[in-house]
Amino acid sequence: MNVSNLSNLFQQNSIFHQGRPLGQKLGQPPISDTLHRLSQNFLTAQEQGQDLRKRFDTLELSAEAVGSKADSALSEMPREILEVYLNQYKVAANLSHQNEAALMEYRDQLSAFDQTIQEYQDMLDGKAALPQQMKMEDVSMLLERTRAAREQFLQEGAKELNRRGSEEPDLTDRARQTVLGDLDDGHDLRWSIDASAKDIYGEIDRALAFTQKVTSMCREGASRIVAELKRRGQADQPYHQLRFDEQDSTVERTSMFQDIYEDIWNTLR
């Protein structure tokens, strides 16, 4: 199932329909209010995050950053080795970009939880009207469950992200040094999220900036290898064509948090 967030998962299972969510009749109308708010707040978070996405998406690494030493090293490499390196860089770039998408989804879903929690708190504080056919006890119950679901997503989502972040891109030292030259600082390319951080959004942004740098670096490496193959007149295979932007806009990805969303549904209901 291709989903991008918690509410989409629920929609796929007809949770918002007054029919048969997960094969059963909807027995708790108040919960549908929570799911609707999460859905709307997730979309709002995505829209508000456009500037953040653009800031990361426009981070580029110039080919001029590497001197003639790297170019010379590439020119001396056999085609077979260059193609092995090309595969490494393309795979690493794709995986790193998937990590970016997961971090943004994590950020937007947390924002949706926080906004929904604030809305319920405002109702309890008398700053906002109650939804129709709901009592204060209903709102109090929904607030408690939404907070629990948020904490569950915070912790389990960070655990899943850290599992991915602990897997450094499969680039050999030789591939990094030969292709990237001075652009490669030799630093560890692994990353993690501290779920206990006081500013969790700042923590996510830090990881996002790092993964974007890794993605750009890997795409840069792939581009340089293809440029060398073209210079030789050997870029004659379909996989020599690099269309990262086109791939980003067309590839449908399954959420890394799919199982977590399933568990959270049980928490909410």
Side-chain angles (χ1 to χ4, degrees):
M1 182 188 300
N2 290 319
V3 299
S4 60
N5 57 72
L6 175 62
S7 3
N8 277 349
L9 170 63
F10 294 154
Q11 286 178 316
Q12 294 272 342
N13 287 296
S14 302
I15 298 302
F16 290 113
H17 299 217
Q18 297 299 318
R20 301 186 303 278
L22 300 181
Q24 297 178 352
K25 185 177 179 180
L26 183 60
Q28 291 181 298
I31 295 299
S32 66
D33 180 84
T34 301
L35 303 182
H36 176 73
R37 290 177 187 278
L38 285 172
S39 177
Q40 295 304 308
N41 289 332
F42 184 92
L43 293 175
T44 299
Q46 285 186 314
E47 293 172 358
Q48 294 176 341
Q50 288 304 313
D51 290 340
L52 178 65
R53 289 178 178 81
K54 290 177 181 178
R55 176 157 60 88
F56 290 128
D57 288 345
T58 54
L59 176 60
E60 297 179 353
L61 301 177
S62 171
E64 297 178 356
V66 174
S68 59
K69 179 179 179 181
D71 295 335
S72 175
L74 286 179
S75 67
E76 298 171 358
M77 299 295 295
R79 171 177 175 167
E80 293 76 13
I81 300 299
L82 285 178
E83 291 186 333
V84 169
Y85 289 171
L86 175 60
N87 183 64
Q88 289 183 20
Y89 275 100
K90 288 176 69 175
V91 170
N94 181 55
L95 292 176
S96 183
H97 189 71
Q98 288 181 28
N99 289 339
E100 291 178 54
L103 283 163
M104 286 304 304
E105 181 183 344
Y106 183 68
R107 191 184 200 284
D108 291 342
Q109 191 65 68
L110 281 176
S111 179
F113 274 120
D114 288 340
Q115 182 58 36
T116 301
I117 288 170
Q118 185 60 55
E119 290 171 0
Y120 285 144
Q121 188 62 60
D122 286 346
M123 292 176 198
L124 293 179
D125 293 341
K127 298 178 182 178
L130 297 179
Q132 290 185 351
Q133 299 180 341
M134 283 179 60
K135 302 177 181 179
M136 292 291 277
E137 306 89 84
D138 295 322
V139 174
S140 181
M141 177 271 292
L142 293 179
L143 176 59
E144 180 181 349
R145 293 188 184 181
T146 304
R147 281 174 171 165
R150 193 260 191 198
E151 181 63 20
Q152 183 177 350
F153 181 75
L154 172 71
Q155 298 298 332
E156 295 183 11
K159 195 175 299 183
E160 181 61 22
L161 286 168
N162 289 340
R163 182 188 66 79
R164 289 289 295 268
S166 67
E167 301 170 356
E168 189 171 14
D170 188 19
L171 295 172
T172 63
D173 290 341
R174 179 66 172 168
R176 290 178 63 172
Q177 295 167 3
T178 303
V179 178
L180 297 174
D182 294 339
L183 187 60
D184 178 23
D185 56 17
H187 288 171
D188 194 333
L189 300 181
R190 290 172 290 190
W191 53 272
S192 64
I193 290 288
D194 181 3
S196 65
K198 185 176 181 180
D199 179 9
I200 186 61
Y201 294 106
E203 183 75 359
I204 297 169
D205 290 349
R206 177 192 60 77
L208 266 170
F210 184 82
T211 54
Q212 176 60 50
K213 179 179 178 181
V214 173
T215 302
S216 296
M217 184 184 77
C218 293
R219 290 181 173 183
E220 181 71 17
S223 297
R224 290 174 184 177
I225 294 171
V226 169
E228 172 60 22
L229 290 172
K230 286 182 177 179
R231 184 187 69 80
R232 302 181 189 183
Q234 297 177 339
D236 52 5
Q237 298 298 320
Y239 62 86
H240 292 147
Q241 304 302 312
L242 302 178
R243 299 187 178 91
F244 292 121
D245 292 338
E246 179 181 328
Q247 176 181 310
D248 293 345
S249 62
T250 59
V251 173
E252 290 188 0
R253 296 186 174 89
T254 299
S255 172
M256 126 176 359
F257 309 116
Q258 179 78 7
D259 292 340
I260 298 174
Y261 291 148
E262 296 275 5
D263 291 340
I264 287 176
W265 162 234
N266 293 324
T267 297
L268 284 172
R269 67 176 179 174

